[in-house]
């Protein structure tokens, strides 16, 4: 009590002293110069705009049709989390750099923070909630549990959605940036998986176990 009273008194003293210094300085300078301050007109400040245009958009999320009326500036990530209340998809950087927000759009993996919801009229979105259920996990979800492919788990929904997309890309012959030799190898190499998963950051550093989990589900042991 007395301590906080002292602290408060000290802060008040400092503020009063500071204010007095400003007043004194201004008075001195005014006395010396006697020059009227130029009149400066303030630039017009644009009104804070919180009211963007609304637009209707419908999409299929995890097999169910969902209809929204959204501010056109709403990202797909925010539509999923804030409007569809599917909070499994995580917001990390919100700038396309961490992969935490990865979902599947018509089977292809995307960063949902980098696209606007209104651009996805009629599209089909799969989030981590749509891959499996607690009593019936997706193979990759089970493999992540088995191989300890996570610690805090924040990146995990994005990692798993991305891994689903990676395995589909490999099956479809979508090239990666690894060498042609690695691409042609009969077994999926850890290097190729690391390259394909490089957009998904894990701050806990669970990378080795994540690669083990994906390798197991890929069915071709590295
Ligand atoms: S939150 Fe989308 S990439 Fe980081
Ligand atoms: S498990 Fe914590 S960030 Fe990946």
């Amino acid at each position: 009590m007395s301590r906080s009273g002292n602290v408060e008194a000290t802060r008040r003293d400092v503020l009063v002293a500071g204010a007095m210094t400003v007043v004194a300085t201004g008075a001195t300078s005014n006395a010396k110069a006697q020059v009227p301050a130029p009149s400066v007109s303030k630039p017009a400040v644009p009104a804070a705009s919180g009211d963007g245009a609304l637009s209707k958009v419908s999409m299929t999320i995890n097999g169910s049709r969902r209809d929204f009326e959204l501010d056109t500036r709403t990202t797909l990530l925010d539509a999923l989390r804030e409007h569809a209340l599917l909070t499994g998809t995580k917001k990390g950087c919100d700038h396309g750099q961490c992969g935490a927000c990865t979902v599947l759009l018509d089977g292809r993996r995307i960063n949902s923070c980098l696209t606007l919801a209104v651009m996805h009229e009629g599209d089909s979105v799969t989030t981590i909630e749509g891959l499996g259920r607690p009593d019936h996990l997706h193979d990759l979800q089970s493999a992540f549990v088995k191989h300890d492919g996570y610690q805090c788990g924040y990146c995990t929904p994005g990692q798993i959605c991305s891994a689903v997309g990676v395995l589909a890309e490999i099956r479809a012959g979508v090239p990666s940036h690894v060498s042609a030799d690695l691409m042609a190898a009969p077994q999926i190499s850890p290097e190729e998986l690391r390259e394909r998963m490089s957009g998904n950051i894990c701050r806990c550093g669970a990378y080795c176990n994540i690669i083990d989990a994906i390798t197991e589900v890929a069915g071709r042991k590295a």
Side-chain angles (χ1 to χ4, degrees), residues 84-163:
L85 302 182
L86 293 168
T87 54
T89 305
K90 298 294 186 269
K91 181 182 285 189
C93 64
D94 210 19
H95 282 79
Q97 294 173 348
C98 73
C101 63
T102 305
V103 298
L104 297 161
L105 184 73
D106 294 325
R108 289 181 306 111
R109 56 191 175 136
I110 62 161
N111 289 333
S112 60
C113 70
L114 288 186
T115 187
L116 297 175
V118 292
M119 295 166 64
H120 298 291
E121 172 67 32
D123 286 350
S124 175
V125 178
T126 303
T127 69
I128 190 71
E129 292 93 340
L131 285 179
R133 299 187 310 271
D135 59 343
H136 187 69
L137 296 178
H138 185 281
D139 287 347
L140 274 162
Q141 290 172 317
S142 298
F144 268 63
V145 173
K146 175 180 171 185
H147 289 277
D148 273 342
Y150 53 86
Q151 290 179 36
C152 76
Y154 196 81
C155 73
T156 310
Q159 299 278 3
I160 292 177
C161 285
S162 196

Side-chain angles (χ1 to χ4, degrees), residues 66-83:
R66 302 293 298 265
D67 303 311
F68 304 102
E69 186 166 11
L70 300 172
D71 185 315
T72 51
R73 300 166 296 183
T74 306
T75 63
L76 179 59
L77 173 59
D78 285 339
L80 292 170
R81 289 182 54 85
E82 313 286 337
H83 298 270

Side-chain angles (χ1 to χ4, degrees), residues 39-61:
S39 74
V40 179
S41 59
K42 283 187 180 175
V45 179
S49 160
D51 47 352
L54 295 179
S55 181
K56 292 186 176 175
V57 59
S58 300
M59 61 186 84
T60 301
I61 303 177

